[in-house]
Amino acid sequence: MSRVIHVFRQPDRFVAGTVGEPGDRTFYLQASEDVRTISVTIEKQQVVVLAERLSSLLEEVASRFGADVPDDVPEDLVDVDPLTVPVEEEFRVGTMGLGWDADSSAVVIELLAITEGEVDETVVLDDTEEGPDAVRVFLSPAAARAFAERADRVVNAGRKPCPLCGEPLDPNGHICPRQNGYRRETDASED
């Protein structure tokens, strides 16, 4: 079966979002253009890496190519809306690619479906017939900055970290490795 590549050259929206409660969230990336919306499932750590690499790429294209990259997200690009429903998974993301298209002055993000074997690097950001399905999104530097900022917000909107070990606190308790599994008991009789 031949490969399907969903291309969004001028997306109306490209965002990271979640479905579920903190501690049991599923992360998605969602691209929309006109009436077409594609959602792909992604791991939380992949969202973190994508946001970090995107910020690094923006710094590099500003210094190397003189691209106009805003330091802050323009007010009209701040997106706090939930994911567009229904959220239907097209595929689970395995490999991600990131690049700069000098012709259109756009950041290119490619998300490839997870596969059984290793993905040949040559299929990333390429239109070859063979390879995993993909979503390819072109973003202006300002839209890329907005995506990275929202991705950070979404990731950090989960459970609060333990002040001692940094692991997420569960609503029904937390056994902290820094306390060797012991909980400090407070004595109510002390004044």
Side-chain angles (χ1 to χ4, degrees):
M1 192 164 127
S2 76
R3 174 181 197 203
V4 176
I5 302 174
H6 305 277
V7 179
F8 293 84
R9 290 214 175 266
Q10 295 181 324
D12 302 317
R13 188 173 192 223
F14 180 62
V15 295
T18 61
V19 172
E21 295 297 318
D24 191 29
R25 297 186 296 171
T26 302
F27 286 77
Y28 291 91
L29 296 183
Q30 192 174 70
S32 301
E33 188 172 16
D34 297 326
V35 296
R36 181 174 61 132
T37 298
I38 298 285
S39 302
V40 293
T41 308
I42 189 166
E43 294 296 323
K44 178 181 179 179
Q45 193 56 38
Q46 288 175 298
V47 175
V48 171
V49 169
L50 182 58
E52 288 172 356
R53 298 279 166 86
L54 201 48
S55 295
S56 297
L57 178 68
L58 289 172
E59 290 173 21
E60 187 175 335
V61 298
S63 65
R64 285 183 58 192
F65 302 108
D68 183 23
V69 177
D71 291 331
D72 297 315
V73 177
E75 194 66 36
D76 62 322
L77 292 179
V78 174
D79 187 340
V80 294
D81 293 335
L83 294 172
T84 303
V85 292
V87 179
E88 297 174 350
E89 175 187 309
E90 186 72 21
F91 59 79
R92 180 170 288 281
V93 174
T95 304
M96 298 183 294
L98 194 57
W100 175 252
D101 181 20
D103 294 337
S104 62
S105 295
V107 172
V108 183
I109 299 171
E110 185 159 286
L111 310 162
L112 282 77
I114 199 164
T115 59
E116 294 291 320
E118 278 193 41
V119 174
D120 184 3
E121 288 181 14
T122 60
V123 302
V124 180
L125 299 173
D126 195 5
D127 292 333
T128 58
E129 289 291 320
E130 295 300 316
D133 289 352
V135 172
R136 186 178 301 150
V137 181
F138 291 75
L139 298 175
S140 69
R145 178 77 72 205
F147 171 85
E149 184 180 282
R150 177 182 166 124
D152 286 339
R153 267 196 328 271
V154 166
V155 166
N156 293 319
R159 297 172 289 171
K160 300 286 183 218
C162 171
L164 297 175
C165 68
E167 293 294 317
L169 291 171
D170 291 323
N172 54 349
H174 169 71
I175 299 175
C176 182
R178 297 276 309 266
Q179 293 182 344
N180 291 333
Y182 291 100
R183 293 184 189 192
R184 290 188 182 148
E185 299 296 327
T186 56
D187 190 358
S189 64
E190 288 182 8
D191 289 296

